[in-house]
Amino acid sequence: MPELPEVESYRRLAERTVGRRVGEVQLRDRRYLRGGTEPDELQQVLHGAQIAGARRIGKLLVLDLGDAGAGRRLGVRFGMTGRLQVDDQLGVDRLLHASDRLEPAWQRFAVRFTDGGLLAVHDPRLLGGVSLDPDEAALGPDAATVTPAALARALQGSTTALKARLLDQSRLAGVGNLLADEILWRASLAPARPAGSLSPAELRRLHRRLHQTLVELLERGGSHLGELVPHRTPGGRCPRDGGELRRATVGGRTTWWCPTHQR
DNA sequence: ATTGTGGCCTGCCCGC
DNA sequence: TGCGGGCAGGCCACAA
């Protein structure tokens, strides 16, 4: 599913649209609109606008608009099965838990550029969506660049499960379920630990592993390419010490961890 | 305010 | 072979 590494791939792909002008806007299903954006407004703002930039905050892709749409922004969320296409190129090859097929009906939103190119979002399950002027302030610091101090602030003073806090996009933006399991596994921290219970040494370890994991997976281009992920399955064993992994629901999400070395 | 839960949405996989 | 149920989880509305 698209987490920070996938969305960063999408952002890089979206950079190809910078400087191009929007012609036709296609919204196949108005359920794909989020944040109160109306089809008419979307059409009006996008038509004739130029793409001025492609940014990413956590899992949110933001296209800054220029010219006719100056000052406005287009936000794209990918949910867990969303894919970005620019011209004839796809952002990532494979998505875990998502079909690799590209049914025309799954193309939920697209803009045609006046040069004949295309930016399209394919999303079988409609869990993603597009909106005008998304609330960027509602997101915490981006997980790829968060400082140790900011990470500590995101966790401190809370008794909720550490993993739940890592998944809270308003505290830290970009970590999804697979990444959370991978990072906690690498940091040797139990997912159900109270978020505020980490010692300074554990906080440093978590920050280092978070950073390391993101650098590595950004390079590999997918959140499913971690070390733990292939073992998140019944009977799966810890690749570090061979112990049987445990499965439970933490923070409302399926969670796999190694009770032997994650404390 | 914070935290937890259920619903959305549908392709896919398993067991009968 | 077909079918039904369960599962996947990002995000949001809502409840406690």
Side-chain angles (χ1 to χ4, degrees):
Chain A
M1 69 281 331
E3 301 187 33
L4 192 153
E6 284 83 4
V7 180
E8 177 59 20
S9 299
Y10 294 165
R11 189 199 65 76
R12 288 174 191 166
L13 183 61
E15 283 201 327
R16 298 188 191 186
T17 69
V18 171
R20 295 158 80 173
R21 188 173 308 280
V22 176
E24 191 191 351
V25 178
Q26 300 167 336
L27 182 71
R28 291 252 166 73
D29 189 331
R30 66 165 295 152
R31 285 178 299 174
Y32 212 58
L33 288 178
R34 300 293 139 114
T37 300
E38 293 292 325
D40 289 352
E41 191 192 12
L42 185 74
Q43 177 74 232
Q44 199 181 341
V45 170
L46 285 180
H47 187 80
Q50 209 169 26
I51 306 297
R55 295 181 289 121
R56 179 193 58 76
I57 308 170
K59 307 175 203 171
L60 175 69
L61 176 66
V62 181
L63 298 180
D64 293 311
L65 305 177
D67 263 18
R72 307 300 297 269
R73 294 166 291 121
L74 177 69
V76 185
R77 293 191 171 283
F78 296 92
M80 82 182 262
T81 56
R83 293 162 178 272
L84 185 73
Q85 176 188 357
V86 172
D87 303 327
D88 51 8
Q89 189 99 23
L90 279 174
V92 295
D93 298 334
R94 273 173 302 132
L95 280 184
L96 212 54
H97 304 307
S99 172
D100 286 332
R101 287 184 293 135
L102 272 185
E103 297 286 337
W106 296 346
Q107 182 179 300
R108 308 297 181 179
F109 167 80
V111 292
R112 283 264 167 212
F113 297 108
T114 53
D115 63 10
L118 169 86
L119 177 146
V121 179
H122 301 260
D123 187 356
R125 288 181 55 188
L126 293 165
L127 289 170
V130 298
S131 63
L132 285 171
D133 306 323
D135 183 4
E136 299 179 28
L139 293 171
D142 187 78
T145 51
V146 68
T147 63
L151 179 62
R153 277 197 297 278
L155 302 177
Q156 73 190 6
S158 174
T159 55
T160 197
L162 173 58
K163 177 173 174 181
R165 199 72 163 189
L166 292 177
L167 291 173
D168 183 343
Q169 302 298 299
S170 72
R171 310 276 178 180
L172 181 70
V175 176
N177 197 44
L178 295 181
L179 271 178
D181 279 2
E182 179 79 25
I183 290 160
L184 291 172
W185 177 79
R186 292 188 186 200
S188 303
L189 293 168
R193 277 275 296 275
S197 72
L198 273 60
S199 70
E202 288 174 327
L203 276 170
R204 278 196 301 276
R205 205 164 74 216
L206 179 61
H207 181 266
R208 185 176 317 148
R209 295 309 173 203
L210 169 70
H211 187 73
Q212 172 208 51
T213 303
L214 285 174
V215 167
E216 196 176 303
L217 297 186
L218 279 166
E219 211 168 275
R220 295 188 198 167
S223 53
H224 61 290
L225 299 172
E227 275 182 69
L228 177 69
V229 170
H231 307 277
R232 292 172 87 261
T233 174
R237 295 191 164 273
C238 174
R240 183 182 297 184
D241 55 39
E244 190 164 349
L245 295 177
R246 194 164 293 172
R247 179 200 151 123
T249 299
V250 179
R253 297 282 165 255
T254 301
T255 300
W256 294 85
W257 80 100
C258 171
T260 305
H261 84 269
Q262 289 180 254
R263 298 288 173 178

